[in-house]
Amino acid sequence: MEIKEVVNKQAEPLPPLGVSGLGGWLIFVQMGLFASVAMSVAGIYQSWDWVFSAQMWEVITTESWEYFHPLLAPTIIFEIVMNLVVGGLSIFALVQMYRKKSSFPKFIKILYILFAMIQIINYTLYMQIPLLNEISDMNSSKDMVRSILSCLIWIPYFNRSERVQNTFRR
């Protein structure tokens, strides 16, 4: 075969991949990531007065305050830092998802595990501090259970889904 023939010969079309793209169940993953960003921003906003108000910070770190607990200040700082981390990682995951990067499925599985671990730590801290235990109104336990259920649902999905395998190839 001459070079001209090889260049002019049309390539045979590839067989269809099957289901692919960011539709199907991946829509729920996208919604969850956007919700994580929104909840992180809301969490930072809610904690802002506690951390960045000099009077409030002085009150919660004063041992004579009736609601003082030695874990309260570290817990508030942990909460803000984790909200920044979760928000940032969620944005990064969305970028990777929309670029259809092959690293996305592995990254999102690690992210789900990290989110669950953060919720477990958060719940443990809230249960140790009477003031936060009362204020949380059991939302922290719901968040923890929700994170664990997300791991149990989405990690197997990303391991087995034909759509995931066909979509994230770059």
Side-chain angles (χ1 to χ4, degrees):
M1 242 185 182
E2 290 184 32
I3 294 177
K4 282 184 178 179
E5 290 177 31
V6 172
V7 171
N8 290 332
K9 188 176 179 182
Q10 290 183 345
E12 294 180 30
L14 294 173
L17 293 174
V19 293
S20 67
L22 299 176
W25 292 104
L26 289 176
I27 291 172
F28 294 108
V29 174
Q30 294 171 63
M31 289 173 22
L33 288 170
F34 279 112
S36 290
V37 172
M39 290 187 313
S40 294
V41 170
I44 292 168
Y45 178 77
Q46 289 173 347
S47 301
W48 194 264
D49 286 338
W50 287 80
V51 173
F52 296 106
S53 165
Q55 298 99 355
M56 184 59 85
W57 190 253
E58 190 169 325
V59 167
I60 65 173
T61 57
T62 302
E63 291 184 27
S64 61
W65 183 47
E66 67 178 299
Y67 296 110
F68 174 80
H69 193 282
L71 289 176
L72 183 58
T75 299
I76 292 169
I77 292 170
F78 174 78
E79 186 89 17
I80 288 175
V81 170
M82 288 303 105
N83 278 318
L84 287 169
V85 167
V86 166
L89 290 175
S90 296
I91 290 169
F92 181 77
L94 283 164
V95 169
Q96 295 301 304
M97 183 180 212
Y98 289 126
R99 288 184 172 176
K100 298 179 182 172
K101 294 289 186 177
S102 60
S103 60
F104 174 75
K106 186 174 188 175
F107 180 76
I108 194 73
K109 290 184 278 188
I110 292 168
L111 202 58
Y112 281 122
I113 293 168
L114 177 66
F115 289 175
M117 288 172 41
I118 289 169
Q119 290 300 330
I120 291 167
I121 292 167
N122 207 23
Y123 176 76
T124 304
L125 288 170
Y126 271 48
M127 293 301 104
Q128 302 301 314
I129 304 167
L131 176 65
L132 294 181
N133 194 357
E134 289 176 27
I135 292 173
S136 75
D137 195 27
M138 296 310 287
N139 283 336
S140 57
S141 63
K142 290 177 188 174
D143 291 342
M144 182 182 65
V145 170
R146 188 177 305 122
S147 291
I148 293 168
L149 286 175
S150 291
C151 284
L152 293 174
I153 292 168
W154 292 113
I155 291 173
Y157 171 77
F158 277 95
N159 285 335
R160 296 185 182 129
S161 170
E162 178 183 351
R163 178 181 298 276
V164 168
Q165 291 172 7
N166 292 337
T167 300
F168 302 103
R169 296 177 152 243
R170 292 184 198 172

